[in-house]
Amino acid sequence: MIGRRIPLPPDLRGRGRGDRALAPLPLVVRVYEQLSRISGRRRPPITAVDRDLRLLVTHVAAEAEDVVSLRLARPDASALPLWRPGAHIDVALPSGRVRQYSLCGDTGERGVYRIAVRRIEGGDGGSREVHEALRPGDAVTVRGPRNAFPFVPARSYLFVAGGIGITPILPMVRAAQAAGADWRLVYTGRSPGSMPFSAELAEFGDRVWLRPDTEYGVPASGAELLEHAPSDAAVYCCGPPAMIAGVRMDLARGAARPVHFERFSAAPVVGGKPFRLRLARSGRELAVPAERTALEVVREVLPGIAYSCRQGFCRTCVVRVLDGEVEHRDRALTDTERADSMLICVSRASGGSLTLDL
Ligand code: FES
């Protein structure tokens, strides 16, 4: 349905539907709390990949407003490690920041990794650095690929992507098409010009519904995004936390079916209790409120502290724990590592305080 305007669903005419993506954070937190109770499931651990690749940027291309794609290859153009749809790489930027980007190219193109990056003005600087500092010929160190969003064989799929969340979905769409599966993609964004890779998706015709907010007046609700799902479809969703929460909530109300999702930013803290942090090297005492992470609080006094995904899978923020009991919420550390370490972007104190080797 590329380029085709879908008639406005009746709920968009004033019955309070469709504005969940604009929901304020407290509502998103409540939805995540409910989802945690409904599913009771923890996402599977991510396997670490200890392999550094020294790659060159071979192409930089504008893909949409504030979005560029980069193609990365070895200096000798030889084959790169295999990857599957949903995989990402860690890219070490010239400043030393490490950021994760989904691979959005063709899994069969063995000599190239393609990533895409949206520039976030108010962000922490990683996306601005990609846009401003990386040019063809520049070298970057890449770790991975790893897969935090595995694509599982199914007879039918519904893919839901929001904005730059299209990047892990693109290779999944191609894999579903190659496998002869029945699939649909709903792709939302602020406006047509903000949605990267729309033109690439044109080859799939009516399987793809582009749904820019500017054509409908409001962001889509979970129910609307799920409207075109083939029966029994596995649902793969990537985009802003509010969009994912809407899809998961409305899916949980309907027929049971698998849902797989990936966020591009930290999830809100769910079920957090306040605790105190003691930083052993400086003797500082910090208060971590219920709704904030230890990383956020530590960054206020140690702005250079290393972090990346803020979702508990990249391990960048690992810190040694000198005293106190930890409630581990990560998807990366082994039991042995958890005995004396924690990932401060997600994990918290299970008692009232922790002392960290910082
Ligand atoms: S920042 Fe990635 S695990 Fe904490």
Side-chain angles (χ1 to χ4, degrees):
M1 296 186 197
I2 286 179
R4 184 153 78 88
R5 184 185 273 267
I6 306 292
L8 283 179
D11 297 54
L12 294 180
R13 301 192 191 280
R15 282 200 279 132
R17 173 183 164 182
D19 58 354
R20 194 172 282 121
L22 291 177
L25 190 60
L27 176 56
V28 177
V29 172
R30 281 206 302 281
V31 170
Y32 271 83
E33 285 171 345
Q34 287 179 43
L35 289 167
S36 303
R37 283 197 293 276
I38 291 166
S39 72
R41 279 189 289 129
R42 284 214 170 272
R43 301 183 74 189
I46 310 302
T47 308
V49 177
D50 293 322
R51 170 179 55 206
D52 284 347
L53 304 168
R54 192 77 176 148
L55 305 185
L56 296 178
V57 178
T58 60
H59 292 88
V60 178
E63 300 289 353
E65 290 160 14
D66 295 330
V67 178
V68 292
S69 69
L70 285 82
R71 293 167 69 86
L72 309 172
R74 295 189 197 268
D76 64 359
S78 59
L80 290 163
L82 288 167
W83 58 283
R84 292 179 185 280
H88 69 267
I89 53 175
D90 300 348
V91 179
L93 300 173
S95 65
R97 294 182 178 100
V98 178
R99 294 293 179 266
Q100 280 78 39
Y101 299 109
S102 294
L103 293 175
C104 61
D106 185 339
T107 53
E109 196 176 1
R110 292 296 315 281
V112 174
Y113 289 154
R114 183 176 72 164
I115 60 174
V117 182
R118 181 180 297 285
R119 181 182 177 114
I120 310 289
E121 282 308 331
D124 52 23
S127 65
R128 285 201 308 276
E129 186 173 348
V130 169
H131 277 246
E132 291 169 9
L134 292 185
R135 297 286 178 266
D138 288 346
V140 288
T141 300
V142 164
R143 178 162 284 211
R146 288 182 290 182
N147 203 321
F149 191 28
F151 182 63
V152 180
R155 278 209 307 266
S156 59
Y157 301 93
L158 175 70
F159 301 107
V160 180
I164 197 68
I166 191 65
T167 50
I169 298 291
L170 262 184
M172 293 185 183
V173 160
R174 294 193 185 284
Q177 180 76 3
D182 185 15
W183 65 271
R184 299 287 183 280
L185 164 64
V186 185
Y187 179 17
T188 73
R190 285 192 322 275
S191 63
S194 72
M195 297 165 67
F197 305 118
S198 305
E200 268 184 39
L201 289 164
E203 67 174 280
F204 300 114
D206 283 357
R207 288 191 180 276
V208 177
W209 174 25
L210 295 187
R211 193 213 176 277
D213 298 345
T214 46
E215 288 192 15
Y216 292 82
V218 290
S221 67
E224 187 184 350
L225 295 171
L226 293 165
E227 267 172 9
H228 301 277
S231 62
D232 300 325
V235 178
Y236 284 77
C237 180
C238 185
M243 187 194 85
I244 292 173
V247 167
R248 293 179 68 199
M249 203 65 209
D250 285 329
L251 206 55
R253 289 197 189 104
R257 64 175 70 179
V259 58
H260 311 263
F261 59 93
E262 183 170 68
R263 300 177 201 96
F264 270 9
S265 56
V269 176
V270 170
K273 294 194 176 64
F275 61 98
R276 296 200 67 76
L277 269 184
R278 183 165 176 274
L279 308 188
R281 295 186 207 172
S282 62
R284 285 180 196 264
E285 297 261 356
L286 307 173
V288 182
E291 72 286 358
R292 299 189 73 197
T293 66
L295 174 65
E296 287 171 347
V297 173
V298 169
R299 281 182 66 201
E300 289 172 359
V301 296
L302 299 175
I305 191 164
Y307 71 94
S308 183
C309 72
R310 293 177 297 147
Q311 297 181 49
F313 66 77
C314 76
R315 307 164 65 99
T316 308
C317 66
V318 67
V319 172
R320 225 153 63 80
V321 180
L322 303 178
D323 191 39
E325 291 297 316
V326 180
E327 179 193 340
H328 291 282
R329 295 184 170 199
D330 66 89
R331 302 165 60 197
L333 298 185
T334 63
D335 287 345
T336 308
E337 291 168 323
R338 286 179 172 191
D340 66 359
S341 302
M342 70 183 284
L343 298 180
I344 61 171
C345 65
V346 288
S347 296
R348 312 178 65 81
S350 64
S353 67
L354 291 172
T355 303
L356 302 182
D357 185 16
L358 283 175

